[in-house]
Amino acid sequence: MGGGGGGGGVAADLNLCGAWDNWGTKFPTWEVSGHTAHVARPDTATGWQARKMSAVTLPAGTYSVRVDITGDAGLAFEVHVGGRVAFYAGSDWRRFTLDQPTEVYVQLAVRPTWTGEATLTPVILEGD
């Protein structure tokens, strides 16, 4: 019944992450195209730096999340569920279940010693 290209409009093919929010640290390089961000920092910082995605409210159900990354893989990604850090995400799928509609977003957390560049795309899919 209707649907997008490629995946036939199946719910499991929808990217349920929000676009990148303007909350957080201004990195020397921060270029965004939809869900994908390119980040670069040539020098170390004095403290942790972070950027987050716009939160999305997901209905009760089971979801899977991962972060597709090219370049420097030494970056950390927090998954915030209901206003607090629930777990860290990486390039492997992590499943989580919501028992009620809940606000979810992914946050990039960069340690002070990190330098380099990377392109990253957080993905949240509905279902297993």
Side-chain angles (χ1 to χ4, degrees):
M1 73 156 69
V10 177
D13 290 340
L14 297 177
N15 184 338
L16 299 176
C17 266
W20 287 94
D21 199 339
N22 60 10
W23 175 91
T25 307
K26 302 290 188 224
F27 289 92
T29 299
W30 181 261
E31 298 160 352
V32 175
S33 175
H35 302 285
T36 299
H38 179 77
V39 60
R41 191 173 73 187
D43 302 309
T44 58
T46 56
W48 282 78
Q49 295 184 296
R51 294 291 288 211
K52 73 174 189 176
M53 302 201 80
S54 300
V56 290
T57 299
L58 302 178
T62 299
Y63 299 89
S64 297
V65 61
R66 77 169 188 227
V67 180
D68 293 332
I69 184 166
T70 57
D72 193 329
L75 299 173
F77 301 92
E78 304 167 350
V79 179
H80 291 239
V81 178
R84 62 182 195 276
V85 180
F87 55 89
Y88 289 90
S91 57
D92 296 326
W93 288 107
R94 284 280 306 263
R95 264 177 60 189
F96 64 100
T97 301
L98 303 175
D99 57 6
Q100 62 187 15
T102 306
E103 194 174 78
V104 177
Y105 63 87
V106 176
Q107 179 171 306
L108 165 67
V110 181
R111 67 180 55 83
T113 56
W114 181 81
T115 59
E117 63 181 296
T119 300
L120 47 115
T121 307
V123 181
I124 300 173
L125 297 182
E126 185 177 9
D128 310 22

